Amino acid sequence: MWDVIRAKNGAYGAYSRFSSIDGIATLFTYRDPNSPEDTLDAFHGAADTILEDAKSSLTRDDNAAITTSIIGTIGGLDGSALSANDAGWVSLVRYLRGESALSRQRRRREMLNTSVDDFVDYAIRLKSWKTPSIAIVASQSALNDMEREMSMFKVQ
């Protein structure tokens, strides 16, 4: 997805997130100059790309791509040192979610044990979703242009 949306098509960012809390996968771009149809095609092809990569690039060089993904994920989880204000906010959110230090450690351990099989499992689940929700955030004029040019969009 990154190679197509970011590197080839020039979006400032391409992201994929999965919430272990509610099971929602989110695929999104930032400052994407491409038509929504092109980006959505890349999103719809993400599962196939993961499955193809699982046979080749994910397992190359002693699973280097998986190790890099794990490091990035753990880094995003822990982040940098928080200000007092941010630490308070994070503590509140964790409290409201019922998230304990034990559950965070369990999640870290699961991340550290990620294998190519986990990527395949995620791709299969991603591929099985039948009716994804689509939301596009853009200026009103851009949305109007999309509605005129692409029958798949209804501006609300």
Side-chain angles (χ1 to χ4, degrees), residues 63-140:
N63 300 331
I66 293 174
T67 301
T68 300
S69 296
I70 291 170
I71 291 168
T73 301
I74 295 288
L77 179 67
D78 293 337
S80 58
L82 300 174
S83 68
N85 187 37
D86 290 342
W89 175 254
V90 168
S91 293
L92 174 64
V93 170
R94 287 176 178 165
Y95 172 78
L96 293 173
R97 287 182 180 166
E99 184 181 315
S100 67
L102 181 62
S103 67
R104 285 192 307 281
Q105 184 57 39
R106 187 178 315 120
R107 226 169 66 209
R108 271 188 198 85
R109 192 171 33 257
E110 289 171 357
M111 288 176 198
L112 290 169
N113 291 322
T114 299
S115 70
V116 70
D117 293 336
D118 296 310
F119 281 87
V120 170
D121 181 56
Y122 177 71
I124 290 168
R125 290 172 192 243
L126 191 61
K127 198 173 178 85
S128 72
W129 289 335
K130 302 295 181 207
T131 53
S133 297
I134 299 170
I136 298 173
V137 179
S139 68
Q140 186 63 51

Side-chain angles (χ1 to χ4, degrees), residues 7-19:
K8 182 179 171 191
N9 294 345
Y12 279 31
Y15 308 92
S16 171
R17 290 193 178 146
F18 179 78
S19 171

